[in-house]
Amino acid sequence: DRAGVRRMNRPAAAELAELLGLYPALAQLPATLRDSALHEQASWLEVPAGTMLFEEQAPCPGFPLLLAGEVRVARGSAQGRSLELYRVGPGELCVVSASCLFGQHPLSAHGEATSPTRLAVLSPPAFDAWCTHEPIRRFVFGVFADRLADLMALAEAVAFQRLDQRLAAALLGHGEV
């Protein structure tokens, strides 16, 4: 194991309740499917800030469900630069992980914990089994739709707004000061 990464054997009842509160779609799964996957097909981890959870071009280790903390998802370049794509917090979904699992291809970005983070990483077969149920499909594809809308808005801004307009809008979005 990597330095500072702590594996928890089985989730406590409080952690399961916390997960269901953060991810309401999970409560709509058949209890036996959900609970057996969370007990037998998930790795429960506590990691310190700075821990690399997944790497570009590596196979996807599973589907992360955050209980606490934050993961920065970014793409790197050959020159060592990094472009942040988004951040994942408790109750949110990592689109890169889901995309990798659906497409069965290597990860297109890397993920690093930005703060101490607690999470469950659901195995790929368990994620596949969960996605056969409508509440999970709606949740996952709803997040994909939101990310696509964000991407379309960005493409529109780049194509149709001047740089100074985009900069002013970005600065105004961060408060009055």
Side-chain angles (χ1 to χ4, degrees):
D1 273 345
R2 294 168 285 192
V5 174
R6 188 173 83 95
R7 288 190 181 275
M8 299 176 284
N9 291 335
R10 285 179 61 98
E15 288 166 322
L16 292 175
E18 185 179 7
L19 193 67
L20 293 178
L22 290 167
Y23 296 91
L26 300 184
Q28 298 177 43
L29 285 171
T32 54
L33 173 70
R34 177 192 65 227
D35 295 346
S36 67
L38 291 173
H39 281 102
E40 299 163 17
Q41 298 183 57
S43 298
W44 293 75
L45 307 171
E46 288 185 20
V47 301
T51 301
M52 193 63 68
L53 294 169
F54 54 89
E55 301 270 355
E56 287 179 58
Q57 299 307 311
C60 186
F63 186 71
L65 299 163
L66 271 68
L67 292 156
E70 182 181 69
V71 176
R72 177 181 178 267
V73 179
R75 286 199 58 147
S77 73
Q79 295 79 26
R81 296 181 60 196
S82 181
L83 172 66
E84 181 174 311
L85 301 174
Y86 57 90
R87 291 180 181 234
V88 179
E92 298 176 342
L93 182 144
C94 178
V95 175
V96 166
S97 295
S99 172
C100 174
L101 291 169
F102 283 141
Q104 299 177 346
H105 55 76
L107 288 157
S108 60
H110 60 271
E112 179 181 359
T114 62
S115 61
T117 300
R118 288 186 306 122
L119 69 155
V121 180
L122 190 66
S123 73
F127 177 72
D128 285 343
W130 281 11
C131 285
T132 64
H133 295 272
E134 184 178 349
I136 299 299
R137 279 196 316 270
R138 283 186 183 274
F139 173 58
V140 172
F141 286 114
V143 173
F144 271 94
D146 291 344
R147 295 281 186 211
L148 182 59
D150 292 345
L151 181 61
M152 297 299 288
L154 177 61
E156 181 179 331
V158 169
F160 301 121
Q161 288 182 336
R162 295 188 335 247
L163 179 60
D164 60 334
Q165 292 174 322
R166 293 196 322 261
L167 178 59
L171 291 173
L172 288 172
H174 286 76
E176 294 180 24
V177 178

